[in-house]
Amino acid sequence: MDITFKKDKNVLKDEVIHKAMDLEEIKPEIEKYRLKRKCITISPECIRCNLCSEECPVSAISEAKATKPAKVLENCVNCEICAQTCPVKSIHVIESTSDVEDEEVKYRLKELKVPHRTLKMKNIEVAEDKCISCGTCAKFCPTGAVNAEDGKPTVIDKSACVGCGACVNVCPENAIKLERELGPVLRTKELSIDREACVSCQVCEENCPVGAIKLEDGEIVFSEDKCILCEVCSSKCPVSALKLERLSNES
């Protein structure tokens, strides 16, 4: 997805005036600028597996249920781990760019390509004494590996199962047990630190959601193992001593 919208710059001026009608003698002057933002969304194709919720390092995704998909919460830090983890690519990372130019304003929405972690089913079993053949598991299976007929025990084709766990999550009787293997998070970004520019304000340490960066005796101590490559420290650093950039092989 790559969509661009355009708006006349005078329309933007009128909107500013309208929103500030209570101010006297307002004369807005809108200069050229560019604003970039990123958001993560979950599409209706969510299969209710809850892998995204389980793997989110900051608990920013509400758990999915048979009656509703997972939902990204306000405390999301854009680390993209959920998008890497979703087995059916129903989580999208959208970058929005706003450009104010001489005569017009451009808004661009672009979906960023995110690589996916490996996911493998090791073993899956159905407890026939618990299964009520309701068919809920089959409804959400993304590969059609589940066969659930009225009055008959549920059967899972292990050769077609990808180990997502959607059937396990939606089963009302907890009749399905799954063993799976989930690969490591892939590094798509890199955090660079300008130690000379750092002013030891501790804003990064105070805001890091996973305790990956701190100051000791005025020096930055960074734990690459803990870092989830979110956008918090780099966006809040007042002197741009921290910069998060996508690796060259990523969009």
Side-chain angles (χ1 to χ4, degrees), residues 42-73:
I42 301 178
S43 67
E45 289 76 20
C46 169
I47 58 173
R48 318 305 201 259
C49 68
N50 270 343
L51 269 173
C52 58
S53 179
E54 293 171 9
E55 290 295 306
C56 179
V58 295
S59 302
I61 300 181
S62 63
E63 290 188 353
K65 297 181 179 179
T67 54
K68 64 178 182 180
K71 181 181 179 181
V72 179
L73 305 178

Side-chain angles (χ1 to χ4, degrees), residues 3 39 48 54 65 70 83 85 112 137 151 208 211 225 229 231 239:
I3 304 173
C39 68
R48 318 305 201 259
E54 293 171 9
K65 297 181 179 179
T85 304
L112 301 180
C137 52
C208 179
D225 292 338
L229 297 172
E231 300 183 343
V239 293

Side-chain angles (χ1 to χ4, degrees), residues 7-45:
K7 179 190 292 186
D8 188 279
K9 189 174 178 179
N10 289 324
V11 174
L12 180 60
K13 282 187 177 181
D14 291 341
E15 291 175 352
V16 173
I17 293 173
H18 180 73
K19 291 180 179 180
M21 290 180 65
D22 54 330
L23 299 179
E24 296 181 0
E25 299 181 359
I26 183 170
K27 296 180 180 180
E29 290 295 333
I30 302 176
E31 300 179 349
K32 290 184 180 181
Y33 74 91
R34 164 170 284 195
L35 177 64
K36 273 192 175 185
R37 290 182 178 176
K38 191 172 72 176
C39 68
I40 294 177
T41 64
I42 301 178
S43 67
E45 289 76 20

Side-chain angles (χ1 to χ4, degrees), residues 15 18 37-38 42 64 92 94 117 125 129-130 137 180 200 202 207 212 223 226 243:
E15 291 175 352
H18 180 73
R37 290 182 178 176
K38 191 172 72 176
I42 301 178
H92 307 279
I94 308 297
R117 307 163 67 180
E125 301 290 345
D129 58 329
K130 292 183 177 181
C137 52
R180 64 186 168 207
S200 302
Q202 294 185 303
N207 289 278
S223 174
K226 289 184 179 180
K243 293 183 180 179

Side-chain angles (χ1 to χ4, degrees), residues 204-219:
C204 56
E205 179 178 350
E206 293 169 357
N207 289 278
C208 179
V210 292
I213 192 167
K214 58 183 179 180
L215 268 78
E216 291 184 358
D217 298 325
E219 295 291 330

Side-chain angles (χ1 to χ4, degrees), residues 190-249:
E190 186 173 57
L191 181 68
S192 60
I193 303 174
D194 186 343
R195 297 180 185 277
E196 292 185 1
C198 176
V199 293
S200 302
C201 64
Q202 294 185 303
V203 169
C204 56
E205 179 178 350
E206 293 169 357
N207 289 278
C208 179
V210 292
I213 192 167
K214 58 183 179 180
L215 268 78
E216 291 184 358
D217 298 325
E219 295 291 330
I220 295 177
V221 178
F222 174 60
S223 174
E224 188 172 340
D225 292 338
K226 289 184 179 180
C227 179
I228 58 174
L229 297 172
C230 67
E231 300 183 343
V232 176
C233 66
S234 59
S235 63
K236 292 185 178 294
C237 178
V239 293
S240 300
L242 303 169
K243 293 183 180 179
L244 185 68
E245 298 180 336
R246 300 191 80 83
L247 298 179
S248 57
N249 61 337

